[in-house]
């Protein structure tokens, strides 16, 4: 698990410097690994969000780690929908690798994530957000129980 966290930290540090008008973002989150099950484990996440790439898509990569030693490393895309000067709605999707540790068996190591965030910009450098996602293997393995992380977090724009 330490290797996963080290990988994401290295990824964040290797992020190329962005221009002043198009900065990357760092997000930190915490919440429940499965909001629709009783006794769900806690989850914490780190994510790097790069500037807009094409067609409004923003690349992102991150890691989720539970208190039951499960981990999910992923890469994907986000699409920001500006609702107002302060509010943003962001659907996102990703593919990644899951290690179950002592947590839920999601059926296999390859898992896909889709979800939506609602963010409120506090200042030019800081936002807060709530996110709900679904992680499953899209039935590429025999078992596909899935999980639904719900988190809250902060986004820092350096």
């Amino acid at each position: 698990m330490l290797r996963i966290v080290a990988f994401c930290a290295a990824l964040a540090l290797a992020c190329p410097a962005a221009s002043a008008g198009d900065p990357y973002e760092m997000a930190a989150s915490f919440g429940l690994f499965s909001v629709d099950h009783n006794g769900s484990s806690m989850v914490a996440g780190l994510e790097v969000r790069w500037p807009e790439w094409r067609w409004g898509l923003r690349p992102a990569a991150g890691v989720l780690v539970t208190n039951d030693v499960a981990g999910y490393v992923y890469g994907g895309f986000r699409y920001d929908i500006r609702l107002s000067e302060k509010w943003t709605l962001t659907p996102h999707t990703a593919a990644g690798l899951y290690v179950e540790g002592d947590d839920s068996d999601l059926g296999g190591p390859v898992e896909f994530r889709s979800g939506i965030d609602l963010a409120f910009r506090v200042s030019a450098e800081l936002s807060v957000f709530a996110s709900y996602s679904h992680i499953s293997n899209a039935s590429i393995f025999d078992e596909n129980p899935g999980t639904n992380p719900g988190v809250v977090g902060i986004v820092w724009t350096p």
Side-chain angles (χ1 to χ4, degrees):
M1 194 57 53
L2 185 57
R3 290 180 188 166
I4 293 171
V5 174
F7 169 78
C8 284
L11 182 63
L13 293 173
C15 182
S19 68
D22 231 3
Y24 68 94
E25 298 173 336
M26 298 291 296
S29 61
F30 66 94
L32 295 175
F33 191 54
S34 187
V35 297
D36 52 357
H37 292 103
N38 291 334
S40 178
S41 58
M42 300 298 291
V43 66
L46 292 173
E47 185 175 270
V48 178
R49 302 169 179 176
W50 282 274
E52 188 177 305
W53 177 57
R54 291 188 182 153
W55 312 293
L57 296 175
R58 297 182 62 199
V63 62
L64 296 174
V65 179
T66 75
N67 63 317
D68 289 328
V69 199
Y72 180 61
V73 177
Y74 61 89
F77 294 97
R78 305 173 55 79
Y79 185 83
D80 292 338
I81 301 168
R82 304 265 184 242
L83 302 176
S84 71
E85 185 178 319
K86 297 279 188 179
W87 291 95
T88 304
L89 188 67
T90 305
H92 51 84
T93 188
L97 297 175
Y98 176 72
V99 177
E100 72 182 76
D102 294 330
D103 214 315
S104 303
D105 179 359
L106 297 183
V110 177
E111 300 289 329
F112 303 95
R113 178 181 180 206
S114 58
I116 194 153
D117 295 1
L118 180 61
F120 178 77
R121 180 152 302 278
V122 176
S123 69
E125 299 84 23
L126 185 68
S127 298
V128 294
F129 71 95
S131 179
Y132 181 78
S133 300
H134 177 71
I135 299 174
S136 72
N137 62 44
S139 297
I140 61 173
F141 301 105
D142 291 337
E143 298 292 322
N144 185 25
T147 190
N148 299 307
V151 300
V152 294
I154 60 170
V155 179
W156 175 62
T157 306

